[in-house]
Amino acid sequence: MARRHQDIVGGVLAGAVICYLFQKWIASKTSFRSQETNLKEDIVEGVEGLIGNTKLVKIKSLSEATGCEILAKAEFLNPGNSPKDRVALEMMLSAQDKGELTPHENDVVYEGTAGSTGISLAMLCCSLGYKCHIFMPSDQSKEKSDVLELLGAHVQRVPPAPIVDRNHFVNAAHDHALQHTKDNSIPGKGYFSNQFENPANWQAHYKTTGPEIWRQCGGKLDAFVAGSGTGGTMGGIAKYLKSESPSIKICLADPPGSGLYHKVLHGVMFDLAEREGTRRRHQIDTIVEGVGINRMTRNFSIAKPHIDYAYRVSDGQAVAMSRYLIVNDGLFVGSSSAINCVAAVRLAKQLGPGHRIVTLLCDPGNRHFSKLYNSEFLKKRNLDASLPTSLDFVNP
């Protein structure tokens, strides 16, 4: 009788265990199906869908050295490897809305550019159904023109000239676009995107980059630092951040040969290498590409009222910072990114520990092998290409 009782109890327990395991299995299957049901597709449309929402990264070495949190928006991770992707897309979509561009009708986008905007335009022309014709100064790195040609753009490299000269790369692009549209023998229309004066430039960053920085920082930042070429990036981001918090400090990083530093600090467009009024800046003045200018643009006029500080960053500092970031952070960036980081460190020292400073990493190093990462070229310019062991080179 006792044995029979034990068998019954054992059977009941075994059955209970089996029922429990069966219920767990059913629950897991139901949960899995529920997860499958809740999955949402995350697919973007074309290369244009890859633009924006770049990561905000803490640069560990600079943060540890200064006691500030120095963050950088990794704009080189855009599909065209620069923040100019945002600008190019906004300009082209705006032109389409106005009827100035019609896809797949042999329309040609013309632009005068140091390279990055041209690459962004050429990339988007491939995706959106246009042709691209780029004019760029002949002293820009060959890597950029090579990429442009691979993207199918027609590239014309022209000698550096003052903006008052019709042979200036921007004027050449404008004139060719106008001639294209007037000449009925040439298929399609010519559209001059006019990045220096087109308000779609700063608006692109006001709509996207500025809000992204604010969101990624959780609304907590003390300063923003960047260089300026057309003025659109600085204009859009500065205008947006100041609208959210007027106490945020905006700082300009300016290379040699550019007049923006003096324009911000003293109200006069001037550089020691040039006299006021000539509006002339040859890239031979600096190895830094993509930032710095000697005239007021419509886009920079949006930025100027919001800028609180300005720093002049030398070529030597840019070279040293590019090497410092490689060795200490594994960040392989270009010259404009390097000057941004130099200025960020200088601002951190000025503000003191405990502040959060945001800047941009706007170009990858692989577009700068012929200059910034060319030891022979740097040697001819009397620039030291050795690896710095500290941030002492940042001191003015």
Side-chain angles (χ1 to χ4, degrees):
M1 184 71 177
R3 177 63 180 271
R4 184 181 179 189
H5 180 73
Q6 289 176 348
D7 290 343
I8 292 173
V9 171
V12 170
L13 289 173
V17 171
I18 291 172
C19 287
Y20 173 77
L21 293 174
F22 181 72
Q23 288 175 346
K24 292 287 287 183
W25 180 76
I26 291 295
S28 68
K29 296 294 287 184
T30 303
S31 174
F32 181 72
R33 291 195 187 98
S34 176
Q35 290 175 13
E36 284 186 324
T37 303
N38 292 331
L39 287 177
K40 294 181 180 179
E41 291 184 348
D42 185 13
I43 303 168
V44 299
E45 184 75 17
V47 72
E48 58 271 25
L50 299 173
I51 297 172
N53 291 308
T54 53
K55 294 291 186 180
L56 188 66
V57 58
K58 178 179 179 179
I59 303 182
K60 294 186 291 184
S61 69
L62 304 186
S63 299
E64 292 167 4
T66 61
C68 286
E69 191 174 23
I70 296 182
L71 311 177
K73 192 141 174 67
E75 286 294 280
F76 67 90
L77 295 180
N78 279 301
N81 300 133
S82 85
K84 296 299 186 180
D85 287 1
R86 301 173 187 262
V87 175
L89 181 61
E90 184 72 17
M91 291 192 300
M92 292 177 70
L93 293 181
S94 176
Q96 285 184 170
D97 291 342
K98 296 174 184 176
E100 296 171 338
L101 280 175
T102 305
H104 308 292
E105 293 292 338
N106 292 309
D107 287 358
V108 180
V109 176
Y110 292 82
E111 184 57 277
T113 167
S116 292
T117 304
I119 290 170
S120 299
L121 287 169
M123 174 189 74
L124 287 168
C125 281
C126 292
S127 180
L128 299 178
Y130 300 103
K131 297 177 181 179
C132 190
H133 192 144
I134 298 298
F135 290 82
M136 64 187 301
S138 57
D139 55 4
Q140 297 298 287
S141 62
K142 186 175 182 297
E143 292 89 340
K144 292 180 180 179
S145 59
D146 288 345
V147 173
L148 281 164
E149 289 172 348
L150 284 171
L151 287 168
H154 178 54
V155 181
Q156 285 186 244
R157 297 173 69 95
V158 298
I163 189 64
V164 294
D165 190 329
R166 293 316 302 172
N167 292 318
H168 184 277
F169 65 100
V170 173
N171 295 332
H174 168 270
D175 293 348
H176 277 72
L178 192 64
Q179 182 60 36
H180 180 155
T181 301
K182 287 182 177 179
D183 191 341
N184 293 328
S185 67
I186 305 176
K189 302 185 294 293
Y191 167 71
F192 174 49
S193 55
N194 196 15
Q195 61 165 329
F196 289 89
E197 309 299 331
N198 193 333
N201 186 338
W202 72 263
Q203 289 167 2
H205 294 290
Y206 185 84
K207 293 177 182 178
T208 65
T209 326
E212 287 173 27
I213 290 172
W214 182 253
R215 172 179 54 79
Q216 289 169 322
C217 286
K220 298 177 182 178
L221 69 154
D222 299 295
F224 173 75
V225 184
S228 182
T230 65
T233 303
M234 177 64 84
I237 295 175
K239 185 177 177 67
Y240 181 84
L241 293 179
K242 287 281 193 177
S243 72
E244 291 287 0
S245 176
S247 64
I248 294 173
K249 301 301 181 184
I250 306 297
C251 179
L252 172 73
D254 208 34
S258 171
L260 297 181
Y261 169 79
H262 283 288
K263 186 67 176 178
V264 169
L265 295 185
H266 309 297
V268 179
M269 186 69 74
F270 176 74
D271 180 75
L272 294 176
E274 303 167 18
R275 292 184 179 276
E276 167 70 5
T278 62
R279 298 296 184 266
R280 184 181 182 93
R281 174 179 181 257
H282 290 310
Q283 275 296 129
I284 193 173
D285 296 324
T286 177
I287 65 167
V288 177
E289 297 183 3
V291 292
I293 196 171
N294 254 359
R295 69 181 190 277
M296 278 294 291
T297 66
R298 184 177 182 182
N299 283 290
F300 190 74
S301 69
I302 300 297
K304 187 178 179 296
H306 304 294
I307 300 175
D308 301 290
Y309 306 117
Y311 296 125
R312 174 75 78 203
V313 180
S314 70
D315 282 356
Q317 290 173 319
V319 171
M321 181 59 78
S322 68
R323 272 67 178 174
Y324 189 89
L325 292 173
I326 290 174
V327 173
N328 292 281
D329 297 278
L331 290 169
F332 179 44
V333 297
S335 54
S336 56
S337 299
I339 74 161
N340 286 349
C341 290
V342 170
V345 171
R346 288 183 63 179
L347 183 59
K349 291 182 176 182
Q350 179 175 333
L351 296 178
H355 292 86
R356 174 179 279 180
I357 299 168
V358 176
T359 189
L360 303 178
L361 298 178
C362 38
D363 52 346
N366 57 15
R367 289 184 182 169
H368 297 266
F369 282 122
S370 61
K371 289 187 177 181
L372 182 63
Y373 294 105
N374 183 331
S375 297
E376 289 301 315
F377 175 84
L378 295 178
K379 186 177 180 180
K380 291 177 182 178
R381 301 293 297 269
N382 295 316
L383 293 170
D384 184 6
S386 62
L387 300 176
T389 56
S390 72
L391 286 171
D392 289 345
F393 64 86
V394 172
N395 297 327

